Amino acid sequence: MHLLRRGDSGPAVAEIREMLVRLGLPAGRQAPPPGSPAEFTFDADVEHAVRAFQQRRGLITDGIVGPATYRALREAGWKLGDRMLALLVSAPMSGDDVVTLQERLLELGYDVGRPGGVFDDLTERGLKAFQRDYGLASDGVCGPQTLRALRQLGRKVTGGRPGLLREQELLRRAGPRMRGKRIVVDPGHGGPDRGVVNSGVAEADLMWDLARRLVGRMSATGMEAMLTRREDTCPPEAERAAFANTAGADLVLSLHTDANPSMHAQGLATFHFGSGSGPTSTVGEALAGLIQRELLSRTSMLDCGSQGRTWELLRLTRMPTVRVEVGYLTNMGDRRKLLSTDFRDIVAEGILVAVKRLYLLGQNDHPTGTFTFSDVLAHEIARNEATAI
């Protein structure tokens, strides 16, 4: 769909207005008369309601209805029981009803991964296990009988979010060693999609170079680091997420730069899966915070914060995923830094150190900004020698 913003009009605007009203976000104090020009107009009230919805769902709060916001509006309209849910390989079902199903299965002790709202093979597996355990037809379809059983059963897990507790436990079990950990590094854009371009400098090229530097350092520590794309390709985000899921990655790191119409916009930001009102990846949030602090201490960039978002790559990956926005190519100071190979080396080292800190869980750690690549290598060598004894 094309972007819808303030000042636009037509049937698509009327559809957006109706969706917002159904979600309890009235686009105006009083609904316009059916069929009137106001019903089809994207006015200030509609924009305000869209912004409120975007903020609630962890989307960019710009008041514009693009593909991501439109998808989220459609998904928010589904409640568990509105339709039968099943695995559709060609066009996976998604919506708030899927989130509810995933959370309910997690509460009952079935592993369906993170409740990202997409009915995938892991959700089907968890649903079939539930059906089998409770004497239902194990067909992987959430229909009336399965819904009735879900509503009748008490919860096995109460207090906190079981899916997130499982994510934290996996981190604890992984141990502090880097060797053997599988990390997917995602250089943003690529191929014909150049991303942000300013004065001949393209985001895709800079992030490809940064990703290669990061992968090289990770490989030196014994990690298995993989790239989501080649230099000349640009897979869609859903495909990048599927690659990470199939690879069984422990973490995903997505590398980007930003842009803004104002040349004064600058700084560093990190993003993890989550929103103000829904599920949050606690390990992803912790890693985003570690990366943010390490890079700020090493680069003196402006702190734009660490935030939860429901963007596709963050939502569809089953493991903790962090997106790093390394400065604004539209800002002269940030651009000058990004063009420096020394700066990109510093960023690669900072991200690697943040990953190491995550697995150390606060043990034998160093003050922020003082842990070096050499320290990480020395730590790994000492761990490997201790294991060999």
Side-chain angles (χ1 to χ4, degrees):
M1 63 167 294
H2 67 280
L3 300 180
L4 292 173
R5 50 167 51 90
R6 189 171 177 176
D8 290 339
S9 61
V13 176
E15 180 190 12
I16 298 300
R17 186 187 287 272
E18 183 183 356
M19 288 178 174
L20 292 166
V21 170
R22 283 204 306 266
L23 295 171
L25 292 163
R29 278 172 262 169
Q30 185 173 352
S36 68
E39 184 184 11
F40 298 88
T41 302
F42 199 123
D43 55 19
D45 290 331
V46 174
E47 182 183 59
H48 177 76
V50 169
R51 285 180 182 274
F53 173 77
Q54 290 171 327
Q55 187 172 31
R56 180 194 295 178
R57 303 289 291 201
L59 301 167
I60 296 175
T61 311
D62 56 8
I64 299 171
V65 179
T69 298
Y70 184 73
R71 171 191 57 76
L73 281 166
R74 289 181 62 88
E75 291 181 355
W78 292 108
K79 305 301 178 192
L80 188 60
D82 288 350
R83 55 180 176 170
M84 294 179 69
L85 297 173
L87 178 64
L88 303 177
V89 177
S90 57
M93 303 181 77
S94 61
D96 283 19
D97 52 348
V98 180
V99 173
T100 305
L101 172 63
Q102 291 169 331
E103 290 183 333
R104 191 74 179 95
L105 288 170
L106 283 167
E107 288 165 354
L108 290 166
Y110 296 93
D111 183 9
V112 296
R114 191 171 58 208
V118 178
F119 197 112
D120 55 12
D121 56 333
L122 201 56
T123 304
E124 182 188 51
R125 199 179 312 148
L127 181 59
K128 283 184 174 180
F130 164 75
Q131 291 172 325
R132 185 169 54 251
D133 289 347
Y134 289 91
L136 303 170
S138 183
D139 56 7
V141 177
C142 185
Q145 283 187 314
T146 300
L147 280 171
R148 194 175 304 115
L150 285 168
R151 287 167 180 155
Q152 288 172 347
L153 289 167
R155 298 177 176 181
K156 290 184 180 178
V157 179
T158 59
R161 292 183 179 273
L164 305 182
L165 294 175
R166 186 175 285 112
E167 189 178 79
Q168 292 171 323
E169 178 61 16
L170 287 173
L171 174 65
R172 188 190 66 79
R173 289 182 184 177
R177 293 178 60 188
M178 305 288 262
R179 181 171 297 279
K181 291 184 170 60
R182 189 169 293 177
I183 311 297
V184 166
V185 180
D186 173 47
H189 306 279
D193 180 0
R194 313 307 296 145
V196 180
V197 179
N198 185 20
S199 301
V201 180
E203 174 185 6
D205 296 332
L206 289 173
M207 294 304 101
W208 173 258
D209 178 81
L210 174 58
R212 293 296 297 269
R213 292 168 190 269
L214 179 56
V215 165
R217 284 164 173 77
M218 287 184 162
S219 298
T221 68
M223 296 177 116
E224 185 181 351
M226 298 170 284
L227 293 165
T228 57
R229 68 170 175 90
R230 301 194 308 270
E231 190 173 6
D232 61 345
T233 62
C234 183
E237 290 218 330
E239 192 174 311
R240 298 178 196 231
F243 171 78
N245 291 338
T246 301
D250 296 295
L251 300 172
V252 178
L253 299 165
S254 186
L255 308 174
H256 289 260
T257 62
D258 214 332
N260 195 282
S262 170
M263 67 174 66
H264 301 294
Q266 60 177 305
L268 172 83
T270 53
F271 302 90
H272 58 88
F273 172 73
S275 65
S277 57
T280 297
S281 169
T282 51
V283 175
E285 184 177 8
L287 179 57
L290 288 168
I291 293 174
Q292 186 77 7
R293 290 191 292 276
E294 281 295 331
L295 295 187
L296 288 174
S297 68
R298 294 163 190 264
T299 66
S300 300
M301 299 185 82
L302 184 68
D303 185 2
C304 294
S306 183
Q307 305 156 50
R309 290 288 184 268
T310 56
W311 296 333
E312 204 164 26
L313 184 66
L314 303 177
R315 186 171 63 101
L316 296 180
T317 44
R318 295 172 182 164
M319 64 292 301
T321 300
V322 173
R323 173 165 166 158
V324 187
E325 295 275 359
V326 191
Y328 284 72
L329 263 181
T330 46
N331 176 268
M332 188 178 299
D334 283 0
R335 181 176 177 274
R336 187 183 303 115
K337 289 176 180 177
L338 284 161
L339 287 174
S340 165
T341 55
D342 289 343
F343 175 81
R344 296 198 294 276
D345 279 334
I346 289 170
V347 171
E349 180 177 80
I351 294 174
L352 174 69
V353 167
V355 171
K356 179 61 177 177
R357 286 188 187 283
L358 178 75
Y359 286 111
L360 282 173
L361 296 174
Q363 300 175 7
N364 304 316
D365 209 345
H366 295 58
T368 300
T370 63
F371 212 4
T372 66
F373 178 48
S374 298
D375 291 331
V376 173
L377 286 177
H379 196 279
E380 290 304 305
I381 291 170
R383 284 278 177 183
N384 293 338
E385 289 176 349
T387 303
I389 295 174

